[in-house]
Amino acid sequence: MEKMARVSTALGGNTLTGRTMFCHLDAPANAISVCRDAAQVVVAGRNIFKIYSIEEEQFVEKLNLRVGRKPSLNFSCADVVWHQMDENLLATAATNGVVVTWNLGKPSRNKQDQLFTEHKRTVNKVCFHPTEVYMLLSGSQDGYMKCFDLRKKDSVSTFSGQSESVRDVQFSIRDYFTFAATFENGNVQLWDIRRPDRYERMFTAHNGPVFCCDWHPEDRGWLATGGRDKMVKVWDMNTTRAKEIYCVQTIASVARVKWRPECKHHIATCSMMVDHNIYVWDVRRPFIPSAMFEEHKDVTTGIVWRHLHDPYFLLSGSKDSTLYQHIFKDASQPIDRANPEGLCYSLYGDLAFAAKESLISSDSNRKPYIGDRRHPIFFKRKLDPTEQFEYISSSSALSVFETDVESGSMDWFVHTAKQYALAGRPLAELCDHNAKVAKGLDRNQVAQTWTMLRIIYSSLGTMSSTNLNHSMGKGSTTLPLMNSFNLKDIPSGLGSESRLDRSKGESRTENILMDSSSTLINNEDNEETEGSDVPADYLLGDVEADEDDLYMMDHENPHAEEQEYSLPQEAFPLRHEIVDNPSALDHLQDKADSPHVSGNEAETVSLTPVESFSLISISHSLYENRLPSDFFNPIVRDTLLFYAEQGDVQTAVSVLIVLGDRIRKEIDEQTQEHWYTSYIDLLQRFQLWNISNEVIKLSTCRAINCLNQASTTLHINCSNCKRPMSNRGWICDRCRQCASMCAVCHHVVKGLFVWCQGCSHGGHLQHIMKWLETSSHCPAGCGHLCEYT
Amino acid sequence: MIVLQEKRVQVSPPLTRGPSAFIPENEVMQANGLDERTNLLVEEYSTSGRLDNITQVMSIHTQYLESFLRSQFYMLRMDGPLPLPYRHYIAIMAAARHQCSYLINMHVDEFLKTGGIAEWLNGLEYIPQRLKNLNEINKLLAHRPWLITKEHIQKLVKTGENNWSLPELVHAVVLLAHYHALASFVFGSGINPERDPDTSNGVRLIAVNNFCVCDLANDNNIENASLTSSNFGIADSLSELEALMERMKRLQEDKEDEEASQEEMDTRFEKEKKESLLVISGAFDDEIVSTDVSRYVEDPGFGYKDFARRGEDHLPTFRAQDYTWENHGFSLVNRLYSDIGHLLDEKFRMVYNLTYNTMATHEDVDTTTLRRALFNYVHCMYGIRYDDYDYGEVNQLLERSLKVYIKTVTCYPERTTKRMYDSYWRQFKHSEKVHVNLLLMEARMQAELLYALRAITRHLT
């Protein structure tokens, strides 16, 4: 509306001009139709029946055909059509089943001409013959089509569809005798007007009612149909079997279709429900409408091209009681808004990027990532035959970037997923187990997190010496790793030791270490990092690369000691008695600089030393000052958020599941759901179906939980006739035999039934197992080499 | 006369142990197409682990039963927006509006089986607010669906924490409509309580409104109503049948000879609406609502108020052509709750087209007009008008006692009695009466759905 364009087209002498405009009707419209000369439009509805003339700037009401004090139901129109030969002749279909013709040439106010009350139910559609003046066709809810000769009182012939209600009838434009009828049950029939006894041809076009159809104005064999199943289909009727040549999937049931004049492949549609827009599609590009008119506020009920040979003007009526003239120039083109680039990561970190060719080729000097590419860039080129109404060329380029093999390896993910224990044991054991798993994969930070969680949420008493051992870090092997982490960020904070800078990409500048302590650490690092590059690198490639600033260790560090005093009251509620393990404690004191893992926030830093101490101090201090176990919830929450932020949603979800209610309330539902879905998605892409199912089952999110309930149907074949069993139960309704017979003992299997997916034979689990010990062929004797996994 | 009738009622065995109190057991068991039917029943038994009385009675019409079971199975057990226990609880809420203890019992069991929280069964005040919010629309749908507006929908959808998503709401609405209608069928066909001995869980309602009890109570109540006037002898009813067939034939053959004017048609519709007012005037002041049921009911006093009754606000007639199931209802319902549209569509189509071309003892009868009259009469009572229907037909085809029955079954099914069931169409077979019940049930369900879906559509636009 903002950019009103004035368009004029020369059409064999007379010119159409106008702009996008509308007028208010008094009532919702059901249908519209234009006069042959494109200067007038008739609008019909339950409570409206008017003729407007289309001026340059506006619609002007010319005539109200709804006359009389108490208008009868004959005026309540379901459809209206203006004769294309005689500009005085109109026909309407009334909701009460009457077909009415109107003669505008009548001198009286009431222009009603003839009434045909032959249909028993609502008439859905009327249609004039394109060349014959007196021939009118109607299709009704009662399943009949009737052909009227306007010179006679009654119908000339009646066509019975022998099926359900008729939704649309259309005379073929080129074929004098042919018309198409569409039905509520999804069928389309072709009739010869001379043969009322039987249709010429019938085919099923849609699933559910076919609401509309339209013959192509130029190509005589093409028929477009639109149905409740949200499809627009184009059929080629030239062949003996109607062939579907194009199909457009829309977002709502299709109420009307109209071929765009002068454009072979364009078709306008509007929908019956929910969606109020009018779309113009290029049937060859069915995924995005080539133009869109968004003016209406309620469903569009009628669309019509203003002139038979003008593709720029579209008129539409709507339930929102407006009549619009749309100009093609003002149409919005969704293609402009569509994102022309596509981007996707593969499982292993490879990246595919598709974009318009022009974008890619414009900067040819930008070589895409020099890592070891295994594939070159692909260029896919598809040039459409240039046509008048082609808006964009559809050539695009696809680039694939590959990450190098090592850093892209996701083995750790798979192993972790497989080995983690998420439920079924006490919390402490789960944590320990998972910590061990993480440790085994050299993911020390995660291991430490688990250990800490155990400490926080579970009693210390259950700690076994082995746990302690590994929670303390396995001696020298782990230390270098930890330290190498520290190296990375510290320089950015201190501006020193740049040779150790390992931070890649956007390095986090946030550095929360105190100067004194960090120098200290750096010193240590210097001693220990040498030679440990490779594992460090591995971890850097991983997600937790940035977390190193949290690796605070050492209670030799005086600074950390100080912090410890600030938190003397922090303690852990104990549920069980502590089993003092002297060896563990010794160990602890020896290796007091063992790292501890926690979240990324400052408070965690101050907390960490406490923990390393607490192991010593628990025995005396903690009993006295219990803290509620949720005291640490905020910290744990931050930890999880941190992991998720880093991309390690696996850790976040696993912790979430293991901790269950202890932490659930701290994190809002949506975030949790998001984590779960990402993790499940990852698992499924690695084909870890069992684990993803376990995660779904253990999740506490409603939305996630019900994922398991979706598509739980198991399709089985009958073992006799090998056809799918449509029936529920044991009996195949095709061959009328019990389908679940054990091939070994020939009894019906109730209970565990195992069968070969190749030949559908099977039986009692035990029997089949026994059988397969001796033979690998199917016990039913079908000769199949059965495969069981 | 009256006395005689009363006696007859008492003499007849009070509680047959067949599936229905109205229909003799052997009637239910013998029907055509036994083979197909057995298959279907076996299948149903193997999936649900039981054969309830509803299924048994409906199995007289095998074809229909199949689509009924399929849609019910889908809305209760298959993928859907609502969690399983919710679905059963909604069923309980819906059935409770009509005090249908049969359905309540059935779904109390299912509710617990699917992991519902037992506490909810203590009554509405124990359920989450979200479910509680459904009460209003449940009440309106059950009794006066024409009052549902888009504001009601908005209230449910936009209440922050306890809001319903549209798919959930549509699922709930479908369930509500289904169970209101099913309650009509249960009462209309006099379905007996299940023989199931399992009464252990305490929440089960122990045959509070046993049919013989309520039969008698209701029969007494209805005495003053018009019913007794229709006591003809057998000979009468025979000629009655002939006359009915005669009228049907006439209607089918020469429709156009009496060209009714617009005004005439209007008045006919209005008349039919108004007349449905007078059909039952018997007051039911002493309604016994057991506390067992009432705990699921909010505002129990709210009942069907005749659409035609003119209050201060003139309610606009629902023009069927402006919002049809086929065009609009289906599209919306299927969009928000996928596939249910197809199942319901099939069910509606099935019931509308079901015919055996028989009437009582006569064969080869086209019953289309009669079926259409039944269907449209139900819609008429809910204020839905078809432009292309001449409501004069209703008057010609449906006798008064049948109208009484229809009105009772659709609007206040809990008041249905055996006598009402017996008093219409005495020549007709039980299977035909069950057919009538199916029509009434589906017509009612469609009417409720149309109103609810129209409101949702308005909310969307």
Side-chain angles (χ1 to χ4, degrees):
Chain A
M1 292 291 282
E2 301 83 47
K3 32 157 197 170
M4 293 291 178
R6 191 172 301 266
V7 179
S8 56
T9 358
L11 284 165
N14 51 341
T15 315
L16 280 187
T17 56
R19 57 185 190 103
T20 296
M21 60 186 184
F22 74 100
C23 75
H24 284 290
L25 312 171
D26 316 327
N30 275 347
I32 61 172
S33 186
V34 281
C35 181
R36 179 181 50 165
D37 62 7
Q40 293 178 78
V41 57
V42 57
V43 184
R46 174 172 291 284
N47 294 312
I48 183 172
F49 190 20
K50 280 181 182 172
I51 291 177
Y52 288 87
S53 73
I54 311 166
E55 313 272 307
E56 198 151 310
E57 297 287 330
Q58 60 190 338
F59 290 103
V60 176
E61 182 179 330
K62 266 195 84 187
L63 187 62
N64 188 357
L65 290 158
R66 212 179 143 79
V67 290
R69 258 183 308 114
K70 202 167 179 237
S72 80
L73 273 182
N74 296 343
F75 288 96
S76 159
C77 306
D79 191 32
V80 65
V81 62
W82 204 318
H83 205 299
Q84 291 306 304
M85 303 294 294
D86 181 349
E87 54 195 37
N88 277 332
L89 199 53
L90 288 162
T92 58
T95 50
N96 61 355
V98 180
V99 175
V100 193
T101 60
W102 310 79
N103 186 355
L104 299 182
K106 271 193 174 183
S108 67
R109 258 188 83 219
N110 190 349
K111 312 281 187 198
Q112 185 171 322
D113 194 16
Q114 260 179 300
L115 274 181
F116 300 100
T117 50
E118 293 187 36
H119 284 294
K120 290 203 182 69
R121 306 278 310 267
T122 300
V123 177
N124 286 320
K125 195 78 188 176
V126 282
C127 175
F128 278 117
H129 195 279
T131 49
E132 202 60 46
V133 179
Y134 297 108
M135 204 186 284
L136 174 68
L137 190 64
S138 67
S140 156
Q141 197 75 16
D142 61 13
Y144 292 102
M145 295 141 278
K146 284 177 190 285
C147 184
F148 303 97
D149 185 327
L150 301 186
R151 291 162 295 196
K152 293 182 184 161
K153 274 248 166 291
D154 297 318
S155 63
V156 188
S157 41
T158 300
F159 309 87
S160 167
Q162 301 291 348
S163 50
E164 292 179 54
S165 314
V166 187
R167 299 310 299 244
D168 198 357
V169 284
Q170 291 290 340
F171 274 112
S172 166
I173 290 167
R174 295 297 157 92
D175 244 338
Y176 186 87
F177 296 111
T178 309
F179 72 89
T182 70
F183 292 85
E184 200 147 295
N185 58 5
N187 286 342
V188 171
Q189 295 179 352
L190 285 196
W191 289 81
D192 188 315
I193 203 87
R194 297 161 295 185
R195 285 194 57 190
D197 53 328
R198 213 189 125 71
Y199 53 81
E200 299 282 292
R201 196 196 283 190
M202 178 167 87
F203 60 94
T204 303
H206 290 267
N207 181 12
V210 190
F211 285 139
C212 50
C213 65
D214 195 29
W215 290 95
H216 198 284
E218 295 150 35
D219 203 319
R220 62 154 53 181
W222 285 14
L223 178 72
T225 58
R228 195 172 69 181
D229 59 359
K230 307 178 191 172
M231 309 261 220
V232 178
K233 292 181 179 175
V234 180
W235 304 87
D236 185 355
M237 313 293 275
N238 291 320
T239 46
T240 43
R241 273 183 62 121
K243 205 174 89 198
E244 179 187 327
I245 44 175
Y246 295 111
C247 177
V248 176
Q249 175 88 50
T250 68
I251 56 167
S253 42
V254 182
R256 312 261 171 182
V257 291
K258 278 275 176 273
W259 287 102
R260 189 173 171 201
E262 315 280 312
C263 303
K264 190 171 176 204
H265 290 103
H266 283 211
I267 192 164
T269 69
C270 66
S271 62
M272 185 72 93
M273 279 288 289
V274 192
D275 183 19
H276 311 158
N277 299 340
I278 301 164
Y279 302 100
V280 179
W281 302 87
D282 182 328
V283 288
R284 292 163 304 173
R285 307 197 61 196
F287 304 107
I288 191 158
S290 75
M292 192 159 102
F293 300 103
E294 303 167 293
E295 279 84 2
H296 285 298
K297 308 257 179 331
D298 202 337
V299 283
T300 310
T301 46
I303 47 175
V304 61
W305 294 96
R306 187 169 157 193
H307 192 278
L308 227 51
H309 297 288
D310 184 309
Y312 298 106
F313 293 83
L314 181 71
L315 300 170
S316 71
S318 158
K319 276 240 154 65
D320 65 6
S321 304
T322 55
L323 172 68
Y324 258 94
Q325 171 169 273
H326 309 277
I327 303 296
F328 226 77
K329 272 199 179 144
D330 294 338
S332 71
Q333 292 176 8
I335 201 95
D336 295 343
R337 279 181 266 154
N339 188 358
E341 286 97 32
L343 185 72
C344 191
Y345 262 114
S346 87
L347 274 182
Y348 298 98
D350 296 350
L351 177 71
F353 174 65
K356 268 161 98 175
E357 196 179 327
S358 51
L359 283 179
I360 298 286
S361 50
S362 61
D363 51 348
S364 51
N365 56 346
R366 195 202 58 175
K367 278 277 170 257
Y369 192 61
I370 325 195
D372 58 337
R373 274 192 289 112
R374 271 166 293 180
H375 301 291
I377 304 174
F378 293 108
F379 278 97
K380 201 178 155 208
R381 187 177 266 271
K382 180 190 152 223
L383 275 178
D384 270 357
T386 41
E387 208 194 306
Q388 190 189 352
F389 297 104
E390 216 60 55
Y391 293 108
I392 58 149
S393 75
S394 44
S395 60
S396 56
L398 175 72
S399 327
V400 177
F401 308 95
E402 294 191 336
T403 49
D404 58 299
V405 186
E406 287 155 69
S407 66
S409 162
M410 290 288 280
D411 286 347
W412 62 270
F413 178 86
V414 178
H415 287 302
T416 316
K418 281 185 179 156
Q419 290 168 24
Y420 266 0
L422 299 177
R425 283 189 267 168
L427 177 67
E429 276 180 46
L430 290 176
C431 289
D432 285 339
H433 175 89
N434 294 343
K436 219 182 286 175
V437 170
K439 178 69 77 187
L441 290 163
D442 275 349
R443 304 176 70 218
N444 297 288
Q445 192 182 353
V446 180
Q448 297 298 340
T449 309
W450 283 111
T451 312
M452 268 186 45
L453 288 171
R454 196 265 324 272
I455 296 170
I456 293 176
Y457 287 103
S458 176
S459 81
L460 292 156
T462 53
M463 221 185 276
S464 68
S465 59
T466 52
N467 293 340
L468 270 180
N469 272 341
H470 92 226
S471 74
M472 290 305 108
K474 288 225 161 82
S476 53
T477 50
T478 46
L479 274 171
L481 278 184
M482 296 305 153
N483 296 335
S484 69
F485 270 128
N486 277 329
L487 296 180
K488 203 187 71 179
D489 267 14
I490 288 151
S492 61
L494 296 172
S496 65
E497 305 280 356
S498 59
R499 75 180 167 95
L500 292 170
D501 188 356
R502 294 194 164 278
S503 55
K504 273 187 192 168
E506 78 288 318
S507 72
R508 290 186 354 162
T509 48
E510 167 201 4
N511 197 318
I512 49 170
L513 292 173
M514 298 295 176
D515 282 10
S516 62
S517 67
S518 39
T519 33
L520 185 59
I521 293 166
N522 275 330
N523 291 337
E524 283 175 23
D525 290 338
N526 293 346
E527 295 158 24
E528 294 183 318
T529 320
E530 323 297 337
S532 63
D533 281 359
V534 178
D537 206 1
Y538 170 77
L539 277 168
L540 285 175
D542 262 345
V543 281
E544 41 302 55
D546 284 337
E547 214 186 0
D548 24 307
D549 37 0
L550 305 175
Y551 279 86
M552 291 288 291
M553 49 209 67
D554 50 42
H555 58 168
E556 303 109 295
N557 184 344
H559 193 78
E561 294 246 357
E562 267 173 37
Q563 292 197 336
E564 189 222 352
Y565 296 131
S566 65
L567 298 160
Q569 64 275 63
E570 281 191 26
F572 310 95
L574 300 174
R575 287 175 207 149
H576 304 278
E577 216 185 328
I578 296 171
V579 180
D580 248 356
N581 196 322
S583 70
L585 283 176
D586 287 346
H587 187 69
L588 169 81
Q589 274 153 341
D590 293 341
K591 304 261 171 204
D593 55 345
S594 72
H596 277 262
V597 184
S598 175
N600 59 342
E601 301 304 323
E603 64 230 44
T604 336
V605 176
S606 56
L607 170 68
T608 358
V610 180
E611 273 158 21
S612 37
F613 278 107
S614 64
L615 295 174
I616 309 164
S617 54
I618 5 162
S619 42
H620 38 90
S621 64
L622 295 187
Y623 270 117
E624 290 91 65
N625 28 16
R626 282 161 193 264
L627 277 174
S629 68
D630 55 8
F631 181 83
F632 291 102
N633 277 352
I635 297 164
V636 175
R637 183 196 61 212
D638 292 338
T639 314
L640 296 191
L641 288 172
F642 168 78
Y643 276 119
E645 192 74 12
Q646 292 299 301
D648 186 5
V649 76
Q650 181 176 48
T651 306
V653 171
S654 304
V655 171
L656 199 58
I657 292 176
V658 168
L659 292 184
D661 285 339
R662 295 179 188 87
I663 192 70
R664 194 150 56 90
K665 286 179 214 76
E666 293 288 323
I667 301 161
D668 70 294
E669 279 266 321
Q670 268 187 326
T671 315
Q672 288 190 34
E673 198 180 317
H674 183 63
W675 291 354
Y676 274 119
T677 44
S678 327
Y679 187 39
I680 289 163
D681 182 48
L682 270 176
L683 288 173
Q684 290 183 343
R685 288 174 67 178
F686 279 106
Q687 308 193 338
L688 300 166
W689 312 113
N690 288 339
I691 298 158
S692 90
N693 254 1
E694 194 190 343
V695 170
I696 293 173
K697 212 166 97 188
L698 291 172
S699 82
T700 41
C701 277
R702 207 158 54 104
I704 300 298
N705 244 325
C706 62
L707 284 179
N708 255 354
Q709 292 162 19
S711 61
T712 49
T713 322
L714 189 63
H715 297 281
I716 51 174
N717 284 346
C718 166
S719 60
N720 291 316
C721 61
K722 306 236 168 49
R723 308 269 282 284
M725 299 256 292
S726 57
N727 239 335
R728 291 162 287 174
W730 300 294
I731 297 169
C732 170
D733 49 359
R734 284 207 179 76
C735 55
R736 310 227 156 253
Q737 291 213 30
C738 248
S740 52
M741 302 285 271
C742 174
V744 179
C745 70
H746 300 286
H747 287 322
V748 175
V749 184
K750 289 178 177 159
L752 277 183
F753 184 37
V754 61
W755 72 100
C756 166
Q757 294 186 11
C759 66
S760 309
H761 294 118
H764 293 103
L765 180 61
Q766 296 300 323
H767 292 164
I768 295 291
M769 276 165 75
K770 217 181 232 167
W771 177 270
L772 288 175
E773 282 168 15
T774 56
S775 165
S776 58
H777 281 84
C778 176
C782 68
H784 188 253
L785 276 169
C786 289
E787 284 179 67
Y788 293 94
T789 45
Chain B
M1 264 311 222
I2 299 160
V3 182
L4 261 179
Q5 273 244 328
E6 292 287 18
K7 265 189 187 148
R8 212 191 306 151
V9 171
Q10 277 157 0
V11 166
S12 70
L15 227 179
T16 50
R17 292 282 38 186
S20 161
F22 295 175
I23 309 163
E25 196 170 357
N26 54 348
E27 272 298 322
V28 179
M29 288 310 150
Q30 43 157 280
N32 331 335
L34 265 180
D35 215 22
E36 189 189 350
R37 186 176 165 203
T38 323
N39 272 346
L40 194 67
L41 292 182
V42 165
E43 191 189 312
E44 166 64 10
Y45 185 75
S46 62
T47 43
S48 70
R50 67 146 166 242
L51 257 190
D52 51 49
N53 289 339
I54 295 183
T55 313
Q56 288 187 42
V57 172
M58 274 188 195
S59 70
I60 298 175
H61 302 282
T62 321
Q63 289 168 293
Y64 170 80
L65 176 66
E66 198 179 348
S67 49
F68 172 83
L69 288 177
R70 203 177 299 148
S71 66
Q72 182 170 273
F73 185 82
Y74 186 82
M75 67 181 90
L76 282 180
R77 284 165 230 275
M78 298 287 277
D79 303 351
L82 289 175
L84 294 178
Y86 262 59
R87 307 182 190 185
H88 293 290
Y89 201 85
I90 289 171
I92 294 172
M93 285 166 69
R97 284 288 351 160
H98 289 307
Q99 294 134 45
C100 183
S101 52
Y102 174 86
L103 289 174
I104 294 177
N105 278 338
M106 199 150 105
H107 287 282
V108 162
D109 288 354
E110 292 286 335
F111 174 74
L112 292 174
K113 258 187 239 163
T114 49
I117 301 163
E119 200 194 8
W120 294 7
L121 296 174
N122 292 334
L124 291 181
E125 56 271 33
Y126 295 88
I127 60 175
Q129 187 60 38
R130 220 158 89 85
L131 266 179
K132 243 186 252 177
N133 290 345
L134 214 56
N135 269 326
E136 177 76 6
I137 204 166
N138 179 23
K139 182 176 82 177
L140 291 177
L141 263 184
H143 306 295
R144 299 175 209 168
W146 52 89
L147 293 180
I148 292 180
T149 60
K150 72 173 180 194
E151 281 74 29
H152 291 113
I153 305 297
Q154 258 149 16
K155 235 188 267 168
L156 284 168
V157 176
K158 294 182 181 159
T159 43
E161 200 185 345
N162 295 313
N163 68 336
W164 288 76
S165 71
L166 277 175
E168 286 173 327
L169 181 63
V170 166
H171 193 172
V173 161
V174 169
L175 280 169
L176 288 174
H178 180 81
Y179 278 95
H180 293 150
L182 194 55
S184 282
F185 181 82
V186 167
F187 285 109
S189 318
I191 302 290
N192 272 331
E194 294 294 333
R195 224 172 304 187
D196 213 346
D198 170 33
T199 49
S200 50
N201 57 27
V203 253
R204 192 167 252 286
L205 319 177
I206 307 152
V208 191
N209 44 358
N210 212 323
F211 278 95
C212 41
V213 178
C214 98
D215 259 7
L216 287 175
N218 285 357
D219 269 351
N220 288 332
N221 268 328
I222 203 92
E223 259 174 272
N224 53 353
S226 53
L227 213 112
T228 41
S229 61
S230 59
N231 284 323
F232 302 100
I234 292 293
D236 279 344
S237 67
L238 256 182
S239 60
E240 210 173 68
L241 173 68
E242 301 293 338
L244 175 60
M245 291 191 53
E246 186 56 39
R247 282 197 297 272
M248 277 173 63
K249 211 180 261 164
R250 224 182 38 233
L251 279 174
Q252 255 149 19
E253 277 161 8
D254 40 27
K255 256 205 85 192
E256 54 263 58
D257 60 46
E258 31 116 26
E259 192 51 52
S261 74
Q262 178 59 32
E263 287 75 17
E264 176 82 29
M265 297 289 266
D266 275 343
T267 31
R268 280 183 194 168
F269 178 71
E270 295 302 325
K271 195 173 132 214
E272 224 36 70
K273 269 198 321 192
K274 290 241 175 56
E275 214 177 72
S276 72
L277 262 181
L278 312 168
V279 162
I280 288 192
S281 45
F284 287 77
D285 313 316
D286 51 343
E287 250 176 289
I288 332 129
V289 183
S290 79
T291 51
D292 284 338
V293 179
S294 67
R295 65 179 164 211
Y296 301 118
V297 184
E298 191 191 71
D299 188 7
F302 191 91
Y304 176 83
K305 195 179 124 206
D306 290 280
F307 182 80
R309 193 173 288 166
R310 284 290 143 76
E312 312 75 61
D313 46 334
H314 176 81
L315 289 157
T317 306
F318 187 120
R319 299 292 190 150
Q321 269 86 355
D322 289 352
Y323 200 94
T324 61
W325 164 255
E326 285 82 12
N327 296 0
H328 307 93
F330 173 91
S331 301
L332 183 69
V333 98
N334 220 36
R335 183 188 190 86
L336 294 172
Y337 177 22
S338 58
D339 291 345
I340 192 70
H342 291 288
L343 293 168
L344 293 177
D345 201 36
E346 189 196 315
K347 188 162 67 118
F348 289 141
R349 212 169 276 212
M350 170 66 69
V351 83
Y352 200 85
N353 294 330
L354 186 70
T355 181
Y356 306 96
N357 293 319
T358 58
M359 265 178 78
T361 49
H362 299 258
E363 297 197 344
D364 272 338
V365 192
D366 184 359
T367 55
T368 319
T369 47
L370 196 56
R371 282 179 283 133
R372 198 165 164 217
L374 287 168
F375 202 86
N376 287 357
Y377 185 60
V378 173
H379 278 192
C380 168
M381 286 188 299
Y382 282 101
I384 300 177
R385 178 178 171 183
Y386 290 85
D387 284 346
D388 54 358
Y389 189 68
D390 174 7
Y391 285 84
E393 282 185 35
V394 168
N395 226 12
Q396 293 185 53
L397 297 177
L398 310 184
E399 62 191 50
R400 192 164 176 77
S401 55
L402 177 55
K403 280 189 185 168
V404 171
Y405 178 76
I406 294 175
K407 171 109 188 196
T408 317
V409 167
T410 45
C411 300
Y412 0 77
E414 60 276 15
R415 299 180 194 168
T416 317
T417 65
K418 182 161 172 26
R419 216 163 90 199
M420 291 182 192
Y421 176 84
D422 287 334
S423 66
Y424 79 93
W425 282 6
R426 267 160 300 169
Q427 285 301 301
F428 282 64
K429 290 185 221 121
H430 284 291
S431 72
E432 287 167 320
K433 293 196 171 184
V434 172
H435 189 173
V436 170
N437 276 329
L438 295 179
L439 268 169
L440 302 185
M441 163 168 115
E442 294 301 340
R444 175 175 182 197
M445 178 169 181
Q446 200 182 74
E448 285 186 20
L449 275 180
L450 283 177
Y451 275 112
L453 294 175
R454 187 177 66 163
I456 294 175
T457 308
R458 286 184 177 165
H459 161 75
L460 284 174
T461 48

